[in-house]
């Protein structure tokens, strides 16, 4: 059974027109799955749909055997889904450490161990722990956002363009981190602009265009696919 | 009596006391604005409610204003949580203006309820005039003013501790920063909203008791303070609790000190125009620096 599955989801924002049309995708246990596609394809929208932020006009969203369609975000997080949104993904006026603590809001145990783990993954954050997150560079903010999601010790990790704005070196580190998190058994669903790199580490991938499924396949298959390559991978 | 002592005894100290009352109201208004995102016009009437609950506690139990405070706070908190549940919660997803108008309605209802329960007369906590303490020959300060300042300082330290050290306090700042990310991070918005009302109503009750304790209380007393309280919140920067504290102090002191005879023998500004000060500060801030002194939110 899939950890997370969208079945024929048709949905839009508020009163607005539908953005997603019959989108189906799934994440199986142990997988890394990437969603790629052009700007405005609805990749971020598909992720937000999982978090109950869209108005659904058809289809359903399930986690294992539970129907989570329309479930409010805090309950989805309560089920162990950690999410790093694409934009506005830190609390600018909270310190780095407070940002991380907010990631574990639903967890009542001690935080020291989890904080230590995150600082080990992202050493630059340790020295900036008391600095307001809004004053950090783009790359460091991305680390805060990712660290915040990891504080949950999530059962499923969802990342919306985790390497956006990062130098190639840091982007590489993020991909390695994704592999590492996944190796510990956590399935990862991510949206990526660096499609080639993302697909290279993914078990499977989906190509979304105009709010619809266009292609799907294993990572290598999609990289090899001619049409996909021409459209999104820069030839 | 030297001029300086006269200034301190009759202008500065009353200014600080008035500033404390404004600050206690403004912190709640500012936090509600930051977290629930609407201007809460029933805040003054929550202060009146607190003052009257304390009035009853004093009458029935024979306690003084300080021991009456917990009753006022708890009573006001319970009523406020009920109001949120019945009137504001169903409107949470609606546009701001709808909730603002609802808060006007709540203000009217609360005031009417207060009139029904406690009547329309002006009441005081104690009969007779309490003698001021005398220090250093001529530096006078009434005992109640010492208490009010001490309680205000304690309340502010409590707020500071809550916002910077507790999980719910940090979550309140997080929701104020970004409501959408807060939800995506798993922060329970409802818990945060409740905590905001508990703090806001508790502080409003203290402020209301101070109004009554310092002079007298009537059903319109809180409503009459809504202008300086909003001015204080705007001066400090909407959503900024520390800004609201500072804003309340500045406006309270400015109002009192403005009637000091700075030039010549008569008051610089006739005490009748005191409220004009708050209004002027609010207008100037909105034009010159709408984010307030502490860089709050601008709408
Ligand atoms: N909050 C919103 N309210 C209304 N429409 C929105 C909202 N967010 C996005 N959209 C619209 O939904 C469509 C898909 O946007 P989305 O952000 O999902 O694309 P994307 O594939 O993530 O693109 P990108 O690669 O630029 O991040 C766009 O037409 C966008 O204008
Ligand atoms: Mg996107």
């Amino acid at each position: 059974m899939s950890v997370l599955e969208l079945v024929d989801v048709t949905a839009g924002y508020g009163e607005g027109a539908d953005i997603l049309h019959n989108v189906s995708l799934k994440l199986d246990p142990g997988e890394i799955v990437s969603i790629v596609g052009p700007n405005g394809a609805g990749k971020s929208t598909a992720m937000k749909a999982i978090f109950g932020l869209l108005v659904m006009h058809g289809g359903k969203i399930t986690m294992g055997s539970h129907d989570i369609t329309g479930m409010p975000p805090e309950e989805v997080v309560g089920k162990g889904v950690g999410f790093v949104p694409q934009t506005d993904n830190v609390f600018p006026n909270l310190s780095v450490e407070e940002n991380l603590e907010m990631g574990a809001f639903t967890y009542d145990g001690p935080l020291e161990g989890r904080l230590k783990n995150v600082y080990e993954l992202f050493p630059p954050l340790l020295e900036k722990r008391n600095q307001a997150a809004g004053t950090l560079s783009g790359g460091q903010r991305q680390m805060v956002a990712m660290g915040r999601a990891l504080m949950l010790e999530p059962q499923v990790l969802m990342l919306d363009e985790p390497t956006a704005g990062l130098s190639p070196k840091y982007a590489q580190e993020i991909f390695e981190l994704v592999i590492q998190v996944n190796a510990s058994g956590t399935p990862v669903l991510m949206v990526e602009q660096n499609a080639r790199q993302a697909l290279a580490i993914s078990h499977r991938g989906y190509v979304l265009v105009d709010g619809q499924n266009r292609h799907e396949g294993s990572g290598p298959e999609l990289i090899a696919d001619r049409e996909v390559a021409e459209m999104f991978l820069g030839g | 009596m030297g001029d300086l002592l006269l200034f301190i005894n009759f202008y500065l100290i009353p200014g600080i006391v008035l500033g404390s009352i404004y600050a206690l109201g403004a912190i709640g208004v500012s936090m509600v604005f930051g977290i629930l995102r609407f201007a809460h016009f029933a805040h003054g009437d929550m202060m009146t409610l607190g003052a009257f609950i304390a009035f009853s506690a004093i009458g029935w139990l024979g306690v003084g204003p300080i021991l009456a405070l917990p009753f006022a706070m708890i009573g006001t908190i319970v009523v406020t949580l009920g109001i949120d549940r019945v009137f504001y919660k169903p409107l949470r997803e609606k546009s701001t203006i709808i909730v603002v108008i609802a808060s006007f309605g709540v203000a009217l209802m609360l005031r009417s309820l207060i009139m029904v329960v406690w009547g329309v007369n002006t009441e005081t906590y104690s009969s007779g005039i309490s003698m001021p303490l005398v220090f250093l020959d001529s530096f006078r300060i009434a005992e109640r003013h010492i208490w009010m300042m001490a309680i205000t300082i304690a309340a502010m330290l409590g707020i500071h501790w809550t916002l910077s050290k507790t999980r719910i306090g940090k979550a309140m700042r997080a929701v104020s920063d970004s409501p959408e990310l807060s939800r995506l991070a798993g922060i329970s918005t409802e818990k945060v909203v409740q905590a905001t009302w508990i703090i806001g109503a508790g502080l409003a009750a203290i402020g209301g008791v101070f109004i009554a304790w310092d002079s007298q209380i009537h059903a319109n007393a809180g409503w009459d303070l809504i202008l300086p309280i909003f001015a204080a919140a705007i001066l400090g920067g909407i959503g900024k609790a520390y800004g609201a504290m500072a804003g309340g102090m500045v406006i309270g002191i400015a109002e009192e000190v403005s009637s000091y005879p700075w030039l010549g023998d008569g008051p610089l500004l006739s005490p009748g125009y005191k409220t004009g000060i708050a209004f002027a500060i609010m207008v100037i801030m909105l034009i010159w620096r709408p984010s307030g002194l502490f860089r709050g939110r601008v709408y």
Side-chain angles (χ1 to χ4, degrees):
Chain A
M1 200 180 324
S2 300
V3 202
L4 199 57
E5 184 164 13
L6 275 69
V7 185
D8 289 332
V9 170
T10 297
Y13 291 95
E15 315 271 284
D18 284 337
I19 306 284
L20 303 178
H21 307 277
N22 293 308
V23 169
S24 295
L25 49 91
K26 64 174 181 164
L27 178 67
D28 283 332
E31 277 188 324
I32 299 176
V33 170
S34 288
I35 307 174
V36 300
N39 290 116
K43 306 180 297 289
S44 299
T45 304
M47 289 211 147
K48 289 191 215 160
I50 296 170
F51 270 78
L53 296 181
L54 292 229
V55 177
M56 299 272 295
H57 293 128
K60 65 172 181 173
I61 300 169
T62 57
M63 258 189 93
S65 56
H66 301 281
D67 189 338
I68 62 162
T69 316
M71 183 181 270
E74 54 265 34
E75 284 178 39
V76 179
V77 177
K79 287 188 161 293
V81 185
F83 179 31
V84 180
Q86 181 177 0
T87 52
D88 300 321
N89 55 17
V90 299
F91 298 108
N93 289 308
L94 266 57
S95 71
V96 166
E97 185 146 314
E98 287 168 341
N99 265 273
L100 298 179
E101 288 172 24
M102 287 303 107
F105 185 84
T106 51
Y107 171 70
D108 284 325
L111 299 182
E112 287 76 20
R114 293 185 177 197
L115 283 170
K116 194 165 150 280
N117 292 342
V118 170
Y119 289 136
E120 271 168 20
L121 287 172
F122 304 110
L125 296 187
L126 183 59
E127 49 195 88
K128 309 235 156 159
R129 62 201 290 181
N130 294 319
Q131 201 169 316
T135 65
L136 301 181
S137 70
Q140 288 167 341
R141 280 192 213 204
Q142 205 61 34
M143 293 181 207
V144 173
M146 189 102 163
R148 200 252 313 133
L150 291 173
M151 287 293 288
L152 186 68
E153 296 195 344
Q155 306 295 308
V156 182
L157 186 58
M158 290 174 38
L159 308 170
D160 194 346
E161 305 208 3
T163 66
L166 294 189
S167 68
K169 175 175 158 284
Y170 268 130
Q172 191 52 42
E173 281 185 23
I174 294 286
F175 284 125
E176 273 160 26
L177 183 71
V178 167
I179 295 174
Q180 190 183 327
V181 169
N182 178 253
S184 69
T186 311
V188 180
L189 179 65
M190 64 177 169
V191 170
E192 256 304 329
Q193 276 312 341
N194 292 323
R196 193 183 292 277
Q197 272 173 293
L199 289 171
I201 65 161
S202 298
H203 299 92
R204 290 187 305 109
Y206 292 89
V207 179
L208 229 58
V209 180
D210 288 339
Q212 286 169 316
N213 287 79
R214 176 64 67 88
H215 294 282
E216 66 178 274
S218 71
E221 267 168 27
L222 287 180
I223 294 177
D225 187 291
R226 216 211 202 126
E227 192 194 354
V228 173
E230 277 172 7
M231 282 174 83
F232 314 114
L233 303 179
Chain B
M1 199 190 296
D3 274 357
L4 181 64
L5 282 171
L6 184 111
F7 174 75
I8 294 174
N9 293 347
F10 294 108
Y11 295 90
L12 189 59
I13 302 271
I16 293 172
V17 169
L18 187 63
S20 302
I21 293 170
Y22 291 166
L24 289 164
I27 295 169
V29 163
S30 194
M31 290 200 325
V32 168
F33 213 127
I35 290 167
L36 288 105
R37 282 159 210 261
F38 74 93
H40 186 228
F41 281 100
H43 218 80
D45 299 286
M46 280 159 45
M47 297 174 89
T48 317
L49 178 68
F52 274 108
I53 295 173
F55 175 73
S56 291
I58 291 166
W60 289 342
L61 307 172
V63 296
I66 295 170
L67 288 179
L69 262 183
F71 294 96
M73 290 170 74
I74 292 169
T76 308
I77 288 169
V78 169
V79 171
T80 304
L81 288 175
I83 288 172
D84 179 63
R85 189 63 185 272
V86 176
F87 296 104
Y88 302 145
K89 192 174 178 196
L91 303 175
R92 210 81 96 209
E93 307 294 321
K94 297 273 192 288
S95 73
T96 300
I97 188 66
I98 295 178
V99 201
V100 172
I101 303 288
S103 84
F104 263 108
V106 167
L108 290 169
M109 280 190 270
L110 208 47
R111 212 171 319 150
S112 309
L113 187 77
I114 288 167
M115 288 179 183
V116 169
V117 176
W118 284 282
V120 294
N121 295 328
T122 298
E123 308 281 1
T124 54
Y125 284 172
S126 59
S127 44
I129 295 168
S130 63
M131 293 309 284
L133 299 178
V134 179
F135 294 123
L136 302 173
D137 256 4
S138 52
F139 173 63
R140 290 148 184 259
I141 180 164
E143 191 184 325
R144 64 172 192 281
H145 286 165
I146 296 179
W147 275 110
M148 288 182 203
M149 290 184 218
I151 291 170
T152 304
I153 291 169
M156 303 211 167
L157 291 175
I159 295 290
H160 173 71
W161 180 80
T162 307
L163 291 178
S164 60
K165 294 285 185 280
T166 68
R167 180 185 299 205
I168 192 73
K170 292 174 196 175
M172 289 168 71
R173 284 165 48 222
V175 174
S176 187
D177 242 12
S178 168
E180 178 161 302
L181 181 60
S182 303
R183 301 190 72 200
L184 294 174
I187 295 171
S188 160
T189 313
E190 280 308 310
K191 273 190 202 158
V192 167
V193 164
Q194 281 172 8
T196 307
W197 284 123
I198 289 171
I199 293 173
L203 295 180
I206 298 176
V209 170
F210 286 2
I211 301 170
W213 192 8
D214 200 36
S215 53
Q216 51 198 17
I217 187 71
H218 57 91
N220 282 322
W223 174 253
D224 293 343
L225 293 188
I226 215 72
L227 173 66
I229 284 173
F230 271 77
I234 289 168
L235 175 60
I238 286 296
K240 300 282 171 184
Y242 308 121
M245 296 177 192
M249 278 301 162
V250 168
I251 290 180
I253 293 172
E255 282 189 12
E256 292 294 339
V257 165
S258 68
S259 52
Y260 182 76
W262 292 104
L263 308 167
D265 291 335
L268 180 68
L269 200 66
S270 155
Y273 292 111
K274 266 185 200 172
T275 10
I277 302 273
F279 189 68
I281 291 178
M282 184 164 80
V283 171
I284 291 168
M285 284 309 285
L286 284 175
I287 293 170
W288 170 64
R289 195 181 157 109
S291 63
L293 297 175
F294 284 63
R295 297 209 157 277
R297 195 170 287 114
V298 183
Y299 287 87

